[in-house]
Amino acid sequence: MKPMLSKTTFRVSHRALLGHWLLVPLGAALHFAPHAPFTLAGANAPETLTNILSWAGMGLAAWGLLNIAYQRLAHEYVIGPDRVIERHGIIARRVTPLFIHHIRSTEVNQTILGRLLGYGTVKMSAAGTGTSEARFDRVANPLKVMASINSHFQSLAAGTGQE
């Protein structure tokens, strides 16, 4: 009996969403203490302006949380025994399957912040094209993801992968 490689699912890394995470405490601080910038400046804050700042803070925190939820729920990357699948969207959906035996190269791109926080983008190119056919954006441990793709490819090439 041939051993079957398992299916692995990846999502956008929490660390890649640092900018959105920072909006949450900033918005909360603005909501709960809208008069603080005026107090620090030694001025009295008009009540209408503090109300506007309070609502703006709540909106900023909500915007950050909604963006985090969307990025985590709307992007799914799957490495299966015979293919990789890139899924984007919640209501409207875009699914890009790519058979592993068609992959000719894998590439990892990481920014400086991505290297520090441990996330990056894995691009896969298919046979006969010079462009990326599938890409896993902002995944944690991109080198581990690339190694997983390569091990599935080697197992399939050796005849141990099952469809």
Side-chain angles (χ1 to χ4, degrees), residues 28-86:
L30 195 57
H31 174 69
F32 290 112
H35 58 283
F38 297 101
T39 305
L40 291 173
N44 289 332
E47 189 170 331
T48 57
L49 187 57
T50 56
N51 286 340
I52 291 170
L53 286 177
S54 179
W55 281 102
M58 190 184 312
L60 197 61
W63 177 256
L65 287 173
L66 287 173
N67 268 314
I68 291 166
Y70 173 76
Q71 293 295 325
R72 293 280 299 165
L73 294 174
H75 299 85
E76 182 181 47
Y77 311 113
V78 179
I79 301 173
D82 62 340
R83 71 185 78 181
V84 295
I85 302 169
E86 170 189 15

Side-chain angles (χ1 to χ4, degrees), residues 67-122:
N67 268 314
I68 291 166
Y70 173 76
Q71 293 295 325
R72 293 280 299 165
L73 294 174
H75 299 85
E76 182 181 47
Y77 311 113
V78 179
I79 301 173
D82 62 340
R83 71 185 78 181
V84 295
I85 302 169
E86 170 189 15
R87 292 186 184 114
H88 293 281
I90 294 175
I91 298 171
R93 186 72 113 159
R94 180 175 54 94
V95 178
T96 307
L98 180 61
F99 285 99
I100 287 185
H101 65 272
H102 288 174
I103 296 175
R104 293 297 170 241
S105 68
T106 54
E107 173 186 333
V108 171
N109 291 328
Q110 285 183 293
T111 62
I112 293 171
L113 188 60
R115 291 272 320 239
L116 291 172
L117 297 178
Y119 68 89
T121 298
V122 179

Side-chain angles (χ1 to χ4, degrees), residues 4-45:
M4 185 171 134
L5 294 172
S6 64
K7 180 174 91 167
T8 309
T9 302
F10 298 94
R11 294 207 178 264
V12 173
S13 170
H14 285 292
R15 293 170 287 195
L17 303 172
L18 180 63
H20 298 295
W21 281 111
L22 291 176
L23 291 178
V24 176
L26 180 67
L30 195 57
H31 174 69
F32 290 112
H35 58 283
F38 297 101
T39 305
L40 291 173
N44 289 332

Side-chain angles (χ1 to χ4, degrees), residues 2 154-162:
K2 299 178 187 177
Q154 290 170 353
S155 294
L156 195 60
T160 58
Q162 292 182 349

